[in-house]
Amino acid sequence: MNVHDSEKIAGIFSEAGYCETGGTDDADVIVLNTCSIREKAEQKFFSELGRLRKAKKNNPDLKIAVAGCIAQQKGKDLFRRFPYVDFVFGPDNIDILQNWVTRNTEHATPDMAGRTQAVALTDNPDYHVKNLPVKRAGRFRAWVSIIYGCNNFCAYCVVPYTRGRERSRPGKDIYNEVKSLAEQGFKEITLLGQNVNSYGRTFPEECDFPDLLRRIHDIDGIERIRFVTSHPRDFSEKLIKAMRDLPKVCEHLHLPLQSGSDKILHLMNRGYTYEDYKNKIDLLRNNIKDIAITTDIIVGFPGESEADFKQTATALAEIGFDGIFAFKYSRRPGTKALDLPGHVDEKVKSQRLSKVLELQESITYNKNKSLEGKVYEILTEGKSPTDGDRLTGRTRTNKIVNFYGEQDLIGSLVNVKILEAKPHSLYGEAVQTPH
Ligand code: SAH
Ligand code: SF4
C-alpha cells in the first residue's frame, strides 16, 4: 500500500513538471514516505531523516517532506525534532501535495512553500478520496486502490489510527482506472485495501467485493486480477465462487492467519478461530484446484506461551502455506495490546521467529520441488535482476520464475517449463510462443 502511495506522490510531482533524480544531491525536493507498522520501519526512517540534515545544510533551498503513517502519527512533533522538515502529510492527505507542489513551482519562496502539515483523518464513510495521478513503477502490473482505512482494530495494529476509518472507493472510479490501465498495455492488476472483503459495505446500492470483481473482469486487455488483503473473518463463500468462476482471477490468496492459538487470536481481536480459518481453507482448496495460499504470522504477541506458539507451528505444518511473512510482535503506540499482560521477552521472540522461518523454509522448498517438470503461464516482467541472461516473471500463483527466453517476450504471457526448484527461486525455459 505504501509503494502504491509513493506512486501517487510521484504522479503528482510528475504532473507538476518534476522528474526523478539519481540521488539526494541533485534533488530540489525529497519525500520520505514512511511506514509505522513495526518499530524497525520507524527506526529506519529516523536514521534516514537524520542523514538528510547534512543535505539541507549543503543546499538550503532543498525541501524535505515526510509522508505516510509516521507523518500521520507524529504530525507537528516532527517539525520540533527536525526543524529542517518543510512539509508533513498523512496517507489520507496525499492530495494536498498538489497545492504544495504547484505553489512550490510557481512561487519558489520559502514562505509560500513553508512548513505545512496535513494529517486530518476522516470518519465519513461517504468521503471520496480524490483520484490522483499515478506514476507507475511497472509497465505490465499495476496496483489499484479500492478501499481506504480499516475498522478492525486488531489489538497489535496501528493502521486504523494512521489510515482512518474504512471508506470504499466508488466502483465507477475503479472501473475507469482499470480500463485506462488496460488501454495503456497493463496486463495484471492488484486490487488494494487493508480488508478488500468489506468493500462496498457502506454503499446504498448492493455492490460487494465479488460483484466488483465481476465488473472488472469484463475489461478487455486485463489478463490477470489479484487482490490484497483479505480478512479471514470476512472471507466469504460468495468470494470463493467468484474466484472459481472468473478465469482472470489468479489462483493465489493471501490470507493472514497471525496465530494458530485461539487464545491469542481472541486477544488479537481477530474475530475467528483456527478451526474457522481451516474450514475456509478447505472450502477454497475444494473449489479452486492448486490454489497457492500465503499468510502473515506474528510471534511473541503478549500472553503467547510456548504451548500457544506450538499451535502456530502445528498450523503451518497442517495447512502447508506456499509462503509466509513472519514478524516478531512490535509494540505500537495507541494500540490495545500495549496494556496486555505477559509481554514476551525479545530473545524468546527471536527464537520463535527463527523456528517459524526454518519450518516454513522446508515447506516452501517441497512445494517448489513439486513444480519441477510442469508448465506454467508466466507474465514476463523483464530481465531477471539477479541474472541478466534470464527473464523473470510470475505464475498465476504468484511464484517468481527466472527463465531463458527472447527479450521480445517481455510484457507477454509465456508458457514456461520449470526445470529446477531452489528453496527461494524457480528456474525454467520458455516452451511455447507467447499468446
Ligand atoms: N490489513 C492486513 C495487513 C496489514 S499489516 C491484514 O489485516 O491482514 C501487515 C501485517 O503486518 C499483518 O498481517 C501483521 O502480520 C503484521 N503486523 C501488523 N502490526 C504488527 C505489529 N505491531 N507487530 C508485528 N507485526 C505486525
Ligand atoms: Fe491492521 Fe487488523 Fe486492519 Fe489488518 S485488519 S490493517 S491487521 S487492524
Side-chain angles (χ1 to χ4, degrees):
M1 190 162 283
N2 265 39
V3 170
H4 185 44
D5 283 349
S6 293
E7 291 184 332
K8 292 176 188 167
I9 292 170
I12 294 173
F13 276 106
S14 179
E15 204 160 74
Y18 287 74
C19 63
E20 266 176 60
T21 64
T24 51
D25 283 354
D26 33 352
D28 294 318
V29 185
I30 297 173
V31 184
L32 294 169
N33 188 19
T34 62
C35 170
S36 64
I37 196 82
R38 282 169 295 273
E39 204 181 349
K40 213 160 136 193
E42 230 177 89
Q43 287 164 351
K44 260 169 77 184
F45 155 69
F46 282 116
S47 52
E48 189 65 34
L49 186 57
R51 274 195 289 277
L52 290 183
R53 187 189 301 268
K54 217 171 126 204
K56 183 86 170 195
K57 224 170 157 189
N58 293 343
N59 173 14
D61 292 334
L62 173 67
K63 299 286 171 231
I64 296 178
V66 180
C69 290
I70 301 180
Q72 183 63 42
Q73 285 219 301
K74 307 270 183 215
K76 279 195 188 113
D77 265 5
L78 283 168
F79 292 147
R80 264 191 290 277
R81 276 184 66 191
F82 304 93
Y84 52 96
V85 168
D86 297 282
F87 188 36
V88 170
F89 61 102
D92 240 6
N93 298 270
I94 298 178
D95 58 327
I96 211 137
L97 188 62
Q98 281 175 320
N99 303 343
W100 192 66
V101 168
T102 348
R103 269 193 251 146
N104 217 8
T105 43
E106 286 170 9
H107 326 272
T109 62
D111 283 334
M112 291 301 284
R115 299 163 31 134
T116 326
Q117 64 140 12
V119 289
L121 286 180
T122 178
D123 281 349
N124 180 358
D126 300 324
Y127 171 76
H128 289 183
V129 177
K130 242 172 116 179
N131 291 321
L132 295 170
V134 183
K135 188 164 185 275
R136 314 233 169 224
R139 284 195 293 155
F140 312 111
R141 303 165 66 225
W143 306 99
V144 177
S145 300
I146 66 161
I147 183 165
Y148 305 93
C150 182
N151 283 355
N152 283 319
F153 291 93
C154 300
Y156 49 82
C157 186
V158 81
V159 170
Y161 306 95
T162 59
R163 290 185 176 267
R165 293 292 65 70
E166 178 186 294
R167 284 142 290 143
S168 295
R169 187 175 175 204
K172 206 169 94 264
D173 291 0
I174 299 169
Y175 185 90
N176 290 342
E177 184 173 342
V178 176
K179 206 159 172 5
S180 135
L181 287 166
E183 283 157 14
Q184 294 165 52
F186 284 88
K187 297 251 163 77
E188 178 180 310
I189 53 152
T190 303
L191 304 173
L192 205 54
Q194 294 299 343
N195 182 12
V196 293
N197 305 134
S198 45
Y199 178 78
R201 205 147 51 181
T202 51
F203 287 164
E205 80 283 12
E206 170 80 6
C207 177
D208 61 11
F209 183 58
D211 297 335
L212 179 73
L213 279 179
R214 287 180 193 278
R215 280 172 75 178
I216 283 172
H217 196 267
D218 289 342
I219 298 174
D220 286 338
I222 296 299
E223 311 269 5
R224 291 175 165 194
I225 302 173
R226 304 184 186 278
F227 52 88
V228 277
T229 302
S230 299
H231 192 297
R233 185 199 53 217
D234 304 324
F235 187 74
S236 65
E237 204 170 333
K238 185 175 173 189
L239 178 53
I240 294 178
K241 289 202 175 119
M243 292 174 74
R244 182 195 64 196
D245 298 342
L246 300 172
K248 292 179 184 175
V249 176
C250 290
E251 295 79 21
H252 170 226
L253 180 73
H254 186 67
L255 197 64
L257 170 64
Q258 313 298 1
S259 169
S261 152
D262 287 345
K263 179 188 104 190
I264 296 297
L265 286 172
H266 179 69
L267 287 173
M268 285 177 166
N269 192 27
R270 289 288 286 177
Y272 54 85
T273 62
Y274 174 56
E275 179 83 20
D276 297 335
Y277 184 94
K278 252 193 95 197
N279 287 341
K280 291 199 178 175
I281 298 288
D282 289 343
L283 196 62
L284 195 64
R285 284 180 165 156
N286 289 338
N287 277 279
I288 303 165
K289 202 175 147 268
D290 293 334
I291 185 161
I293 303 167
T294 52
T295 202
D296 292 346
I297 296 290
I298 296 177
V299 296
F301 185 78
E304 186 188 74
S305 65
E306 201 52 41
D308 293 317
F309 171 69
K310 284 216 173 91
Q311 286 177 318
T312 298
T314 307
L316 293 183
E318 267 178 11
I319 294 176
F321 291 103
D322 291 76
I324 65 166
F325 295 103
F327 314 102
K328 290 191 275 185
Y329 165 72
S330 169
R331 293 165 192 257
R332 299 290 66 214
T335 56
K336 290 228 173 72
L338 282 182
D339 301 326
L340 287 175
H343 277 258
V344 177
D345 187 75
E346 220 28 62
K347 235 169 95 185
V348 175
K349 280 192 220 170
S350 298
Q351 283 163 356
R352 289 181 185 169
L353 181 66
S354 306
K355 276 191 201 154
V356 156
L357 292 175
E358 197 183 314
L359 173 62
Q360 184 58 40
E361 176 131 349
S362 67
I363 297 172
T364 304
Y365 187 38
N366 288 336
K367 291 236 171 208
N368 282 353
K369 274 269 166 217
S370 73
L371 307 182
E372 280 181 354
K374 295 187 182 150
V375 174
Y376 291 92
E377 179 200 273
I378 308 290
L379 173 58
T380 320
E381 289 163 39
K383 279 190 179 177
S384 159
T386 48
D387 174 355
D389 292 341
R390 287 184 167 105
L391 299 173
T392 192
R394 280 166 203 259
T395 61
R396 288 173 57 95
T397 50
N398 211 29
K399 294 177 197 287
I400 296 174
V401 181
N402 296 315
F403 62 98
Y404 288 116
E406 297 299 323
Q407 297 270 337
D408 59 3
L409 295 180
I410 294 173
S412 54
L413 294 166
V414 185
N415 286 327
V416 170
K417 186 174 184 177
I418 308 297
L419 299 177
E420 192 186 3
K422 295 205 172 152
H424 301 285
S425 43
L426 294 164
Y427 295 89
E429 65 181 5
V431 291
Q432 269 173 34
T433 49
H435 51 94

